[in-house]
Amino acid sequence: MMRTRPLKVALLGCGVVGSEVARIMTTHADDLTARIGAPVELAGIAVRRPDRVREGVPAELVTTDATALVKRGDIDVVIEVIGGIEPARKLITTAFEQGASVVSANKALVAADGAALHAAAEEHGADLYYEAAVAGAIPLVRPLRESLAGDKVNRVLGIVNGTTNFILDKMDTSGAGYSEALDEATALGYAEADPTADVEGFDAAAKAAILAGIAFHTRVTIDDVHREGITEVTAADIASAKRMGCTVKLLAICERAADGASVTARVHPAMIPLTHPLASVREAYNAVFVESEAAGQLMFYGPGAGGSPTASAVLGDLVAVCRNKLSEATGPGESAYTQLPVSPMGEVVTRYHISLDVADKPGVLAQVAMVFAEHGVSIDTVRQQGKDGEASLVVVTHRAADAALSSTVEALRNLDTVRGVASIMRVEGE
């Protein structure tokens, strides 16, 4: 029997995502009612600048007092899509105190303070859902948190930032440099006026922290994630990857140690073989591989950002949370029972591609090889090209610890025959 009293929803934020959430809630109200088992009513929309509210958003619902909206007392669910740490954190905790559940798309806040938010939700018998915080429309949080709850996840590897994937894809397909590709991404609306969060890896690092925490049932914050952006990736790096049968992607990699005693979480550019499924992920799309003991390899693919895709994830969470409200239950909360430590980047083992500028004379290769040997880093392949007394030397290693590679590079810089280290990039996906 369907309940006639509507579940009331407060929407915090009405930008690209928020306005799309409001539109779908209005135009698909009957469908949402049928799926939930009760009508849902958009009770208010909090914004900072009411003059910028998008067309189609009911003006009578708009307010600039987000706190008053959350504290009304009749709100069942708060949807938070304003982003950032504050005032989002205070508004979410206030919602919990009022007995409301929360649906959020706020990756930065969940990655920084997820444990405290989960604790507040549990204290007040409320839900905290955030599918939209990780990969737009791609169902990823719920499969990890629910569908794979009985399995053991060992690795999560993926492309979780559409802006950087677009830039690297353009560099690969057109031969453009980083600046040219960024300009194109900005012109098409894929990159913000200030692209720092994307191109320096902050966005992907927040998502990696969330994924690692859920996958490994342990607490991982953004401060635990090793982060490198794509601003230093050059056309020469892209060309070198092609010669190896690879392409360059910004990857989020979350791994359980072989002995199961720790985990790692990192974001950085890496070369991956063209045969790997992630190599074919083009433009602004996202894709994530999940490797578990029983299920094996699973791949999740789709648009990772944008108003409509992100709104889809928000509304999926809204339906789930409202159903929980009707049954007077809550969904899965934080699962951090393993309490595994997060190992530093120095302990991560992977392959490396190192490009050196060296003197073009006999004995250089032997000197370089000796340095690698002295630091316990095994060489897989070497390619050398020389002209007019200068040469480039490209070394691809077997798997080695990051700390060992770092000490090797420092020793190489001290060789008289090494003019400079042009680039260092990890090789993944093999």
Side-chain angles (χ1 to χ4, degrees), residues 106-108 110-111 130 133-134 141 144 205-215 220:
N106 195 332
K107 67 187 79 69
V110 176
Y130 42 86
V134 175
V141 170
L144 282 172
K207 295 170 181 177
I210 295 170
L211 291 174
I214 299 170
V220 181

Side-chain angles (χ1 to χ4, degrees), residues 36 43 61 80 134 140 142 158 161 163 172 178 219 242 283 299 307 321 385 398 401 424:
I36 291 168
L61 296 181
E80 183 271 310
V134 175
L140 193 55
R142 194 173 289 116
N161 182 272
T163 301
D172 182 73
Y178 168 77
R219 287 179 178 170
K242 284 186 174 182
E283 298 197 334
M299 183 172 175
V321 166
Q385 292 178 323
H398 287 291
I424 303 171

Side-chain angles (χ1 to χ4, degrees), residues 266-347:
R266 50 195 165 104
V267 167
H268 54 71
M271 296 180 179
I272 58 172
L274 294 176
T275 54
H276 195 285
L278 289 179
S280 62
V281 178
R282 306 293 301 278
E283 298 197 334
Y285 276 76
N286 286 189
V288 178
F289 256 84
V290 177
E291 300 175 9
S292 66
E293 287 195 355
Q297 289 188 337
L298 306 171
M299 183 172 175
F300 300 83
Y301 171 83
S308 294
T310 307
S312 171
V314 168
L315 289 163
D317 279 351
L318 175 64
V319 170
V321 166
C322 286
R323 286 172 176 169
N324 291 343
K325 281 282 184 181
L326 291 180
S327 61
E328 298 182 348
T330 55
E334 183 190 32
S335 176
Y337 72 92
T338 62
Q339 299 181 357
L340 296 173
V342 182
S343 297
M345 187 63 190
E347 296 179 14

Side-chain angles (χ1 to χ4, degrees), residues 29 46 60 88 116 119 131 144 155 162 179 186 206 214 232 242 249 287 296 302 308 313 349 358 403 415 420:
E60 66 275 13
E131 184 68 67
L144 282 172
R155 194 175 195 229
S179 296
T186 304
I214 299 170
E232 301 301 318
K242 284 186 174 182
K249 299 291 186 182
S308 294
V349 176
V358 299
L415 290 178

Side-chain angles (χ1 to χ4, degrees), residues 8 118 142 160 165 192 244 332 345 408:
K8 294 192 175 183
H118 274 294
R142 194 173 289 116
V160 295
N165 199 57
E192 301 287 345
M244 289 177 58
M345 187 63 190
T408 302

